Amino acid sequence: MTWTPSPMPCATPSSSIPRIVLGVAGGIAAYKSVELLRLLRDRGYHVACVLTPDATRFVGAVTFSALASEPTRTSLYNDPTTPIPHTYLGTHASVVVVAPATAHLIARYATGLADDLLTATLLATRAPVLLCPAMHTEMWEQPSVQENLATLRRRGVMILEPESGPLAGGDEGAGRLPEPETIAELVSNIVDGYRGVLSGRRVLVSAGGTREAIDPVRVISNRSSGRQGLALAEVAVRLGAQVTLVSTVTTPLALDVAQAIDVIHVENAAEMHEAMQKRSVDSDVVIMAAAVADFTLTPSNVKLKKRDGVPQLQLMAVADIVSDLVTRRHEGQLIVGFAAETSDVLKNAAAKMRDKGVDLLIANDVAAPGVGFGHETNEVVIFAREGEPQRISLRSKEAVAYEILARVAALLPQGAP
Ligand code: C5P
C-alpha cells in the first residue's frame, strides 16, 4: 500500500472522525453499497459517496445523499462546494473503499486514468484503498482483469476478493460482492490500523519455506512463497509496530514500508531457529508464518554424482521452533502459529493449537483453490484460546494480515508499552 500515517487525512476541517470515501462503480451489486453506506455510518464514520456515471444507472445519487454525511458526487465538475472535489476527497480520506469495483473501474485505476471523479479521487489520495470487485465469473477470470488487480496489489491497493454464489441473470459462480457487513468490518480494521493499534509494539515475523541442503547444489524445500509472512510484516508496520522479519525469500517489500523493516535472511531451519530465538527475547509478538522443514540432513560438501547411484539420504527431525519459543515466552508475549493443512483442517488445527501452546493459530486449507502457498490470496480460520474460530473469507494476503493483526492487537495486554 502506498500510504503513510501522516496526520493530514485526520486533520479535517470538521473533526477527527474517520472519513471514508465510498466509491460506487456501475455494476448490479451497487444496490448493496447502500447497505454498506448505512453500516459505515452506524460505525460513526463520516462518509462521502462518489458514484461513477454508470453507477447512477443502477442506483440513485439521492439515496446515497440521504444516508451519507455530505451530498453525493457524480462528476468532477460543477461541485458547489469546491472546484477540485477529487483532491478535497482524496486528501481528507482516512480510507477509500470502492464497492462494487467493476472490471472497467479496475482497468482505469491500474492504468492511471482519471476520467471521472472516482478515478481522479483514487489518484489524488494517499489513504489506504480497498477495492471490492464484483462481476460475472467470466469477467472476473479474464487474465486482463487479474493482471490489473495484480498491478494494483503490487502498488499497495487492498483487494477484497469476491465470493462465489448466485450472480445477476440467474448465473452462479465467483464474482459476488461480499456481504456489506464483511466490507464494513474490514474498513473498520483499516481505520483502526490507521490509528496505530500496534504503536510501539515489537513484532517478529518469520516468512518463507526453509531450504535444507543436500549438497552445494540441491535442497529439500516446500512451496511456500513467503507472501503471507511478508504481508504480515508490512501491515504490522502500517499499524505502528517496529518489525523484524526473518525470511528465506528475497521478494521486495512494499516501497512505503521496506525501510522500516529489519530483515534477517536465513536459509534453513537451524538458521531460522537461531534468529527467532535471538530476536524473540525482546519482541512483544512472534508470528511464525514460515513453512519450516520437519526434517533435515547433514549436507555433502561436494555435489553428489549420479554415477554413484541413488543416494541414501539420512533425514533427521528438526526442532519445532514455535514450540521452543513458547517454552521461552516472557510475560505478556503473544505467539502466533500457522497450520497449513490439506485435510480435516479444523480438527487438525484445533489439535495443533493445543500441542504448540500458541495464543493464536492461523489455519489454512492449502489444497483449496486460491488458498495458501504461492497464491496472491488466502482464506484462513483464526483459532484463539477462547471463543469460536473466526473464518476470514478469501481475500488478498494484505487484507488477511489486517484481520490477523487486528486479533493480535486485541489480545495484547493493555497499557503496555
Ligand atoms: O507442525 P506444523 O509444521 O504443521 O506446524 C506449523 C507451525 O509450526 C507454523 O507456525 C510453523 O512456522 C511452525 N513450525 C516451527 N518449527 C518447525 C515446523 C513448524 O516453528 N520445525
Side-chain angles (χ1 to χ4, degrees):
M1 291 207 323
T2 51
W3 63 284
T4 40
S6 89
M8 185 172 61
C10 281
T12 58
S14 51
S15 70
S16 61
I17 294 172
R19 296 173 69 93
I20 314 296
V21 172
L22 171 59
V24 182
I28 181 60
Y31 80 92
K32 286 192 185 174
S33 48
V34 178
E35 176 69 3
L36 173 61
L37 166 58
R38 202 185 57 73
L39 292 171
L40 292 172
R41 293 284 291 131
D42 285 352
R43 286 170 186 246
Y45 303 136
H46 178 109
V47 187
C49 300
V50 179
L51 270 57
T52 63
D54 281 348
T56 62
R57 293 173 179 266
F58 293 89
V59 282
V62 177
T63 313
F64 285 84
S65 289
L67 296 167
S69 313
E70 48 186 285
T72 293
R73 295 176 172 84
T74 57
S75 167
L76 262 167
Y77 306 105
N78 302 323
D79 191 312
T81 56
T82 167
I84 42 170
H86 57 302
T87 50
Y88 161 77
L89 289 164
T91 55
H92 290 114
S94 310
V95 176
V96 179
V97 51
V98 183
T102 55
H104 188 219
L105 182 283
I106 292 165
R108 288 185 295 138
Y109 186 22
T111 319
L113 288 180
D115 55 355
D116 64 10
L117 179 57
L118 182 52
T119 46
T121 303
L122 286 166
L123 297 196
T125 194
R126 300 181 74 186
V129 174
L130 172 65
L131 294 189
C132 307
M135 60 198 77
H136 258 71
T137 311
E138 293 77 5
M139 297 176 80
W140 171 245
E141 290 176 350
Q142 269 300 324
S144 56
V145 173
Q146 291 303 322
E147 281 166 23
N148 285 332
L149 287 169
T151 299
L152 291 169
R153 262 192 206 106
R154 216 175 37 248
R155 294 177 188 154
V157 174
M158 284 191 294
I159 318 286
L160 178 61
E161 300 282 309
E163 294 178 351
S164 286
L167 302 168
D171 294 333
E172 182 114 8
R176 204 176 140 80
L177 189 73
E179 287 312 308
E181 187 58 61
T182 306
I183 303 172
E185 184 64 27
L186 185 51
V187 170
S188 284
N189 283 341
I190 300 169
V191 169
D192 288 345
Y194 196 72
R195 291 179 185 149
V197 284
L198 291 178
S199 270
R201 308 288 189 171
R202 293 156 306 175
V203 175
L204 175 64
V205 182
S206 70
T210 54
R211 283 187 287 275
E212 309 303 314
I214 297 173
D215 63 23
V217 178
R218 306 174 179 101
V219 294
I220 298 178
S221 191
N222 58 64
R223 297 184 195 279
S224 170
S225 65
R227 275 197 212 127
Q228 185 63 71
L230 263 50
L232 282 159
E234 291 167 351
V235 172
V237 171
R238 296 185 184 120
L239 300 185
Q242 194 183 315
V243 178
T244 302
L245 174 67
V246 175
S247 172
T248 64
V249 297
T250 51
T251 317
L253 289 157
L255 285 181
D256 61 321
V257 291
Q259 297 288 342
I261 301 177
D262 183 11
V263 184
I264 302 171
H265 281 294
V266 294
E267 165 99 1
N268 56 39
E271 288 170 13
M272 180 167 280
H273 198 161
E274 193 189 336
M276 292 300 286
Q277 244 181 30
K278 218 182 259 171
R279 293 303 187 106
S280 65
V281 175
D282 51 13
S283 297
D284 303 306
V285 179
V286 177
I287 305 179
M288 249 337 265
V292 187
D294 289 324
F295 312 105
T296 188
L297 67 170
T298 307
S300 161
N301 293 331
V302 291
K303 185 180 172 191
L304 299 175
K305 292 277 179 285
K306 201 159 42 174
R307 64 166 181 266
D308 294 338
V310 178
Q312 297 300 308
L313 301 179
Q314 184 61 48
L315 297 180
M316 301 168 284
V318 162
D320 196 274
I321 304 172
V322 77
S323 303
D324 176 48
L325 298 180
V326 164
T327 64
R328 297 162 187 268
R329 178 201 333 240
H330 58 73
E331 178 81 23
Q333 187 180 54
L334 206 112
I335 302 187
V336 182
F338 272 69
E341 301 289 342
T342 53
S343 61
D344 284 333
V345 179
L346 298 185
K347 203 169 124 230
N348 288 337
K352 205 162 277 185
M353 165 103 199
R354 284 191 302 275
D355 293 349
K356 303 216 179 222
V358 292
D359 301 286
L360 288 177
L361 188 98
I362 318 301
N364 51 11
D365 177 355
V366 289
V371 176
F373 294 158
H375 293 285
E376 300 222 5
T377 49
N378 208 358
E379 180 177 42
V380 302
V381 180
I382 304 178
F383 286 78
R385 286 177 195 279
E386 282 166 24
E388 286 297 303
Q390 178 192 1
R391 182 174 291 279
I392 309 297
S393 59
L394 193 71
R395 58 194 70 180
S396 68
K397 287 184 172 171
E398 283 91 344
V400 170
Y402 267 96
E403 297 294 335
I404 294 171
L405 291 167
R407 286 297 293 269
V408 164
L411 285 177
L412 280 170
Q414 297 302 309

